[in-house]
Amino acid sequence: MVVPSPTPLSTEKVRAVDLPIIDLSAQRSEVSKLIVKACDKFGFLKVINHGVPNHIIAKLEHEGLSFFAKPVPEKLRAGPANPFGYGCKTIGLNGDMGELEYLTLNTNPLSIAERSKTISDDPSKFSSIVSDYIEAVRGLGCELLDLMAEGLLVTDTSVFSRLIRDVDGDSVLRLNHYPPVQVDCKDMDTSHPHDNRNKVGFGEHSDPQILTLLRSNDVGGLQISIEDGVWIPVTPDPNAFCVNVGDMLQAMTNGRFVSVRHRALTNSCKSRMSVAFFGAPSLQTRIIAPPELVTPNRLSLYRPFTWAEYKKASYSLRLGDSRLELFRKCIED
Ligand SMILES: C=C1C[C@]23C[C@@]1(O)CC[C@H]2[C@@]12CC[C@H](O)[C@@](C)(C(=O)O1)[C@H]2[C@@H]3C(=O)O
Ligand SMILES: O=C(O)CCC(=O)C(=O)O
Ligand SMILES: [Fe+2]
């Protein structure tokens, strides 16, 4: 069944909240405490002075914009997204739709080299720009995961980062392009002070992986939800990376960090492009919380499972489904 892209409900609340912005050049022990605090409270943070070189970001953005500016038949050569490649409006394999087009890439170098042939007229240049970006952002992701482990007082401080550093890792890079969408006046609720005059570009979901690092141009659209029906807009900041906890990190922290639900709205006059790196482990990795995070006061919440099992479950479900619930232990266990 194909579900039309929804317009945000007028009953939804939008709340302005100062989301944490963490300066990674500050003192390490302070930074790790702030990161843990942000993950405890929001499952989301922004980082600045992150060390990913601007030229690496700029080159990838240029490639992304050039690709999305191509005529449709050329873009379709890089599709369909099953799940990797170019996709337009359909999200996943189970009927979800959104007001966007995207390019999803597996981060394996061979896979990138192969895909690049259908994406760019200069595949080796495209491939090298994408690989440089992935290496830099993966490095930032590992650093953040080490800081989380330190802040959580886990003895093995590489317990999370080693999962996304693994050469056989299953990380994904995704470029999302949200063209401007004019909203019909009849859809608007002008009586509401925070009426969302925008359409849903990418519907509400949590990210299945360990950690997501996302950047966008200076057009807003990303919103997070830490309370049902209340949306917190994330102010765009091209100098920052938005970082969110994924389902696997929720499981590995035994539910202490929550994989935050989020969505992206379109803008009625400006086009938005976001680039997301989803750090994931290798398929056979078993997802188990380190011993420090399982205590008599916080019993083990999830049964052991592999990333392959979780990924299979994710792809069989709808975008907005709460998949991690399927892996919760029964009370009697
Ligand atoms: C509907 C779906 C799209 C998605 C796979 C899924 O079945 C459920 C999770 C979705 C998601 C969200 C985060 C990332 O954008 C993504 C690439 C991922 O790994 O999980 C997408 C999947 C997708 O678009 O293929
Ligand atoms: O474009 C955005 O800001 C969010 C995209 C997103 O959530 C995703 O690609 O999973
Ligand atoms: Fe997401």
Coordinates of all heavy atoms in Angstrom, one line a residue, residues 136-190:
A136 N 36.7 10.8 7.1 CA 36.7 11.9 8.0 C 35.5 11.9 9.0 O 35.7 12.0 10.2 CB 36.7 13.3 7.3
V137 N 34.4 11.6 8.5 CA 33.2 11.6 9.4 C 33.2 10.3 10.3 O 32.8 10.3 11.4 CB 31.9 11.7 8.6 CG1 30.7 11.6 9.4 CG2 31.9 13.1 7.9
R138 N 33.6 9.2 9.7 CA 33.8 8.0 10.5 C 34.7 8.3 11.7 O 34.5 7.9 12.8 CB 34.3 6.8 9.7 CG 34.2 5.5 10.4 CD 35.2 4.4 9.9 NE 35.1 4.3 8.4 CZ 34.3 3.5 7.8 NH1 33.4 2.9 8.5 NH2 34.3 3.5 6.5
G139 N 35.8 9.0 11.4 CA 36.8 9.3 12.5 C 36.1 10.2 13.6 O 36.3 9.9 14.8
L140 N 35.3 11.1 13.1 CA 34.5 11.9 14.1 C 33.6 11.1 14.9 O 33.5 11.2 16.1 CB 33.8 13.1 13.4 CG 32.8 13.9 14.2 CD1 33.5 14.6 15.4 CD2 32.1 14.9 13.4
G141 N 32.9 10.2 14.2 CA 31.9 9.2 14.9 C 32.7 8.4 16.0 O 32.2 8.2 17.1
C142 N 33.8 7.9 15.6 CA 34.6 7.1 16.6 C 35.0 7.9 17.8 O 34.9 7.4 18.9 CB 35.9 6.5 15.9 SG 35.5 5.2 14.7
E143 N 35.4 9.1 17.5 CA 35.8 10.0 18.6 C 34.6 10.2 19.6 O 34.8 10.2 20.8 CB 36.3 11.3 18.0 CG 36.7 12.4 19.0 CD 38.0 12.1 19.8 OE1 38.5 11.0 19.7 OE2 38.4 13.0 20.5
L144 N 33.5 10.5 19.0 CA 32.3 10.8 19.8 C 31.9 9.5 20.6 O 31.5 9.6 21.8 CB 31.1 11.2 18.9 CG 31.3 12.6 18.3 CD1 30.3 12.8 17.1 CD2 31.2 13.7 19.3
L145 N 32.0 8.4 20.0 CA 31.6 7.1 20.7 C 32.6 6.8 21.8 O 32.2 6.3 22.9 CB 31.6 5.9 19.7 CG 30.4 6.0 18.7 CD1 30.5 5.0 17.6 CD2 29.0 5.8 19.5
D146 N 33.9 7.1 21.6 CA 34.9 7.0 22.7 C 34.5 7.9 23.9 O 34.6 7.6 25.0 CB 36.3 7.3 22.2 CG 36.9 6.2 21.3 OD1 36.3 5.1 21.3 OD2 37.9 6.4 20.7
L147 N 34.2 9.2 23.5 CA 33.8 10.1 24.5 C 32.6 9.7 25.3 O 32.5 9.9 26.5 CB 33.6 11.5 23.9 CG 34.8 12.3 23.5 CD1 34.5 13.3 22.4 CD2 35.5 12.9 24.7
M148 N 31.7 9.1 24.6 CA 30.4 8.5 25.3 C 30.8 7.4 26.3 O 30.4 7.4 27.4 CB 29.5 8.0 24.3 CG 28.8 9.1 23.5 SD 27.7 8.4 22.2 CE 27.4 9.8 21.2
A149 N 31.7 6.5 25.8 CA 32.1 5.4 26.7 C 32.8 6.0 27.9 O 32.6 5.5 29.0 CB 33.0 4.4 25.9
E150 N 33.7 7.0 27.7 CA 34.4 7.6 28.8 C 33.4 8.2 29.8 O 33.5 8.0 31.0 CB 35.4 8.6 28.3 CG 36.6 8.0 27.7 CD 37.4 9.1 26.9 OE1 37.6 10.2 27.3 OE2 37.9 8.7 25.8
G151 N 32.5 9.0 29.3 CA 31.5 9.6 30.1 C 30.6 8.7 30.8 O 30.1 9.0 31.9
L152 N 30.4 7.5 30.3 CA 29.5 6.5 30.9 C 30.3 5.6 31.9 O 29.8 4.7 32.5 CB 28.9 5.6 29.8 CG 27.8 6.2 29.0 CD1 27.5 5.3 27.8 CD2 26.5 6.4 29.8
L153 N 31.6 5.9 32.0 CA 32.6 5.2 32.9 C 32.6 3.7 32.5 O 32.7 2.8 33.4 CB 32.2 5.3 34.3 CG 32.0 6.8 34.8 CD1 31.6 6.8 36.3 CD2 33.3 7.6 34.6
V154 N 32.6 3.4 31.2 CA 32.8 2.1 30.7 C 34.3 1.8 30.6 O 35.0 2.6 30.0 CB 32.1 1.9 29.4 CG1 32.4 0.6 28.7 CG2 30.6 2.0 29.5
T155 N 34.8 0.7 31.1 CA 36.2 0.5 31.2 C 36.8 0.3 29.8 O 37.8 0.9 29.5 CB 36.5 -0.9 31.9 OG1 35.6 -0.9 33.0 CG2 38.0 -0.9 32.4
D156 N 36.2 -0.4 28.9 CA 36.6 -0.6 27.6 C 36.1 0.6 26.7 O 35.0 0.5 26.2 CB 36.1 -1.9 27.0 CG 36.5 -2.2 25.6 OD1 37.2 -1.3 25.0 OD2 36.1 -3.2 25.0
T157 N 36.9 1.6 26.6 CA 36.4 2.9 26.0 C 36.3 2.8 24.5 O 35.7 3.7 23.9 CB 37.3 4.1 26.4 OG1 38.7 3.7 26.0 CG2 37.3 4.4 27.9
S158 N 36.7 1.7 23.9 CA 36.5 1.5 22.5 C 35.3 0.6 22.2 O 35.1 0.2 21.0 CB 37.8 0.9 21.8 OG 38.9 1.5 22.2
V159 N 34.6 0.2 23.2 CA 33.5 -0.8 23.0 C 32.5 -0.4 21.9 O 32.0 -1.2 21.2 CB 32.8 -1.1 24.4 CG1 32.1 0.1 24.9 CG2 31.9 -2.3 24.2
F160 N 32.2 0.9 21.8 CA 31.3 1.4 20.8 C 32.0 1.7 19.5 O 31.5 1.3 18.4 CB 30.5 2.6 21.2 CG 29.8 2.5 22.6 CD1 29.9 3.5 23.5 CD2 29.0 1.3 22.9 CE1 29.3 3.3 24.8 CE2 28.4 1.2 24.1 CZ 28.5 2.2 25.1
S161 N 33.1 2.4 19.6 CA 33.8 2.9 18.3 C 34.3 1.8 17.5 O 34.3 1.9 16.2 CB 34.9 3.9 18.7 OG 35.9 3.2 19.4
R162 N 34.7 0.7 18.1 CA 35.3 -0.4 17.3 C 34.3 -1.0 16.3 O 34.6 -1.5 15.3 CB 36.0 -1.4 18.2 CG 35.3 -2.7 18.6 CD 36.2 -3.7 19.2 NE 37.0 -3.2 20.3 CZ 36.7 -3.3 21.6 NH1 35.6 -3.9 21.9 NH2 37.5 -2.8 22.5
L163 N 33.0 -0.8 16.7 CA 32.0 -1.4 15.8 C 31.9 -0.7 14.5 O 31.6 -1.2 13.5 CB 30.6 -1.4 16.5 CG 30.5 -2.1 17.9 CD1 29.1 -2.0 18.4 CD2 31.0 -3.5 17.8
I164 N 32.1 0.7 14.5 CA 32.0 1.4 13.3 C 33.3 1.6 12.6 O 33.4 2.0 11.4 CB 31.2 2.7 13.4 CG1 32.0 3.8 14.2 CG2 29.8 2.5 14.1 CD1 31.4 5.2 13.9
R165 N 34.4 1.2 13.3 CA 35.7 1.3 12.7 C 36.0 0.1 11.9 O 36.9 0.1 11.0 CB 36.8 1.5 13.8 CG 38.1 2.0 13.3 CD 39.0 2.3 14.4 NE 38.9 3.7 14.9 CZ 38.9 4.1 16.2 NH1 38.8 3.2 17.1 NH2 38.8 5.4 16.5
D166 N 35.4 -1.0 12.2 CA 35.5 -2.3 11.6 C 35.5 -2.2 10.0 O 34.6 -1.6 9.5 CB 34.3 -3.2 12.0 CG 34.5 -4.7 11.6 OD1 35.3 -4.9 10.7 OD2 33.8 -5.5 12.2
V167 N 36.5 -2.8 9.4 CA 36.6 -2.7 7.9 C 35.4 -3.3 7.2 O 35.0 -2.9 6.1 CB 37.9 -3.3 7.3 CG1 39.1 -2.4 7.4 CG2 38.2 -4.7 7.9
D168 N 34.8 -4.3 7.9 CA 33.6 -4.9 7.3 C 32.3 -4.2 7.8 O 31.2 -4.8 7.6 CB 33.5 -6.4 7.8 CG 34.6 -7.2 7.2 OD1 35.0 -6.9 6.1 OD2 35.1 -8.1 7.9
G169 N 32.4 -3.1 8.3 CA 31.3 -2.3 8.9 C 30.2 -2.1 7.8 O 30.5 -2.1 6.6
D170 N 29.0 -1.9 8.2 CA 27.9 -1.8 7.3 C 27.3 -0.3 7.3 O 26.1 -0.1 7.1 CB 26.8 -2.8 7.8 CG 25.7 -3.0 6.8 OD1 26.0 -3.0 5.6 OD2 24.6 -3.2 7.2
S171 N 28.2 0.6 7.5 CA 27.8 2.0 7.5 C 27.3 2.5 6.2 O 27.6 1.9 5.1 CB 29.0 2.9 7.9 OG 29.4 2.6 9.2
V172 N 26.5 3.5 6.2 CA 25.7 4.0 5.1 C 25.9 5.5 5.0 O 26.0 6.2 6.0 CB 24.2 3.7 5.2 CG1 23.4 4.4 4.1 CG2 24.0 2.2 5.1
L173 N 26.0 6.0 3.7 CA 26.0 7.5 3.5 C 24.8 7.8 2.7 O 24.5 7.1 1.7 CB 27.3 7.9 2.8 CG 27.5 9.4 2.7 CD1 27.9 10.0 4.0 CD2 28.5 9.8 1.6
R174 N 24.1 8.9 3.1 CA 22.9 9.2 2.4 C 22.8 10.7 2.1 O 23.0 11.5 3.1 CB 21.7 8.8 3.3 CG 20.4 9.1 2.6 CD 19.3 8.6 3.5 NE 18.0 8.8 2.9 CZ 17.1 7.9 2.7 NH1 17.2 6.7 3.1 NH2 16.0 8.2 2.0
L175 N 22.6 11.1 0.9 CA 22.4 12.5 0.6 C 20.9 12.7 0.3 O 20.3 12.0 -0.5 CB 23.2 12.9 -0.7 CG 24.7 13.0 -0.5 CD1 25.4 11.7 -0.5 CD2 25.3 13.9 -1.6
N176 N 20.3 13.6 1.0 CA 18.8 13.9 0.9 C 18.7 15.3 0.3 O 19.3 16.2 0.7 CB 18.1 13.9 2.2 CG 18.1 12.5 2.9 OD1 17.8 11.5 2.3 ND2 18.6 12.5 4.2
H177 N 17.8 15.4 -0.7 CA 17.5 16.7 -1.4 C 16.0 16.9 -1.3 O 15.2 16.1 -1.7 CB 18.0 16.6 -2.8 CG 17.7 17.9 -3.5 ND1 17.0 18.0 -4.7 CD2 18.0 19.2 -3.2 CE1 16.9 19.2 -5.1 NE2 17.5 20.0 -4.2
Y178 N 15.7 18.0 -0.6 CA 14.3 18.4 -0.4 C 14.0 19.6 -1.3 O 14.3 20.7 -0.9 CB 14.0 18.7 1.0 CG 14.4 17.6 2.0 CD1 15.7 17.6 2.6 CD2 13.5 16.6 2.4 CE1 16.0 16.5 3.5 CE2 13.8 15.6 3.3 CZ 15.1 15.6 3.8 OH 15.4 14.6 4.7
P179 N 13.4 19.4 -2.4 CA 13.1 20.6 -3.3 C 12.0 21.5 -2.6 O 11.3 20.9 -1.7 CB 12.6 20.0 -4.6 CG 12.9 18.6 -4.5 CD 13.0 18.2 -3.1
P180 N 12.0 22.8 -2.8 CA 10.9 23.6 -2.2 C 9.5 23.1 -2.6 O 9.3 22.7 -3.7 CB 11.2 25.0 -2.8 CG 12.3 24.9 -3.7 CD 12.8 23.5 -3.8
V181 N 8.7 23.0 -1.6 CA 7.3 22.5 -1.9 C 6.3 23.6 -1.4 O 6.3 23.9 -0.2 CB 7.0 21.2 -1.1 CG1 5.5 20.8 -1.4 CG2 7.9 20.1 -1.6
Q182 N 5.6 24.2 -2.3 CA 4.6 25.2 -2.0 C 3.4 24.4 -1.3 O 2.9 23.4 -1.9 CB 4.1 25.9 -3.2 CG 5.2 26.7 -3.9 CD 5.6 27.9 -3.1 OE1 4.9 28.4 -2.3 NE2 6.8 28.3 -3.4
V183 N 2.9 24.9 -0.2 CA 1.8 24.2 0.4 C 0.5 25.0 0.1 O 0.5 26.2 0.1 CB 2.0 24.2 2.0 CG1 0.8 23.6 2.7 CG2 3.2 23.4 2.3
D184 N -0.5 24.2 -0.3 CA -1.8 24.7 -0.6 C -2.4 25.5 0.6 O -2.3 24.9 1.7 CB -2.7 23.5 -1.0 CG -3.7 23.9 -2.0 OD1 -4.1 25.1 -2.0 OD2 -4.2 23.0 -2.7
C185 N -2.9 26.7 0.3 CA -3.4 27.5 1.5 C -4.5 26.7 2.2 O -4.6 26.9 3.4 CB -3.9 28.8 1.0 SG -2.6 29.9 0.4
K186 N -5.2 25.9 1.5 CA -6.3 25.2 2.3 C -5.8 24.2 3.3 O -6.5 23.8 4.2 CB -7.3 24.5 1.3 CG -6.8 23.3 0.5 CD -7.9 22.7 -0.3 CE -7.4 21.7 -1.3 NZ -6.3 20.9 -1.1
D187 N -4.5 23.8 3.2 CA -3.9 22.9 4.2 C -3.5 23.6 5.4 O -3.1 23.0 6.4 CB -2.6 22.2 3.6 CG -2.9 21.3 2.5 OD1 -4.1 20.9 2.4 OD2 -2.0 20.9 1.7
M188 N -3.5 25.0 5.4 CA -2.9 25.7 6.5 C -3.9 25.9 7.6 O -5.1 26.2 7.4 CB -2.4 27.1 6.0 CG -1.2 27.0 5.1 SD -0.8 28.7 4.7 CE 0.5 28.4 3.5
D189 N -3.4 25.9 8.8 CA -4.2 26.2 10.0 C -3.7 27.6 10.5 O -2.7 27.6 11.3 CB -4.0 25.1 11.0 CG -4.7 25.5 12.3 OD1 -5.4 26.6 12.4 OD2 -4.5 24.8 13.3
T190 N -4.3 28.7 10.0 CA -3.7 30.0 10.3 C -4.0 30.4 11.8 O -3.4 31.3 12.3 CB -4.3 31.0 9.3 OG1 -5.7 30.8 9.3 CG2 -3.7 31.0 8.0

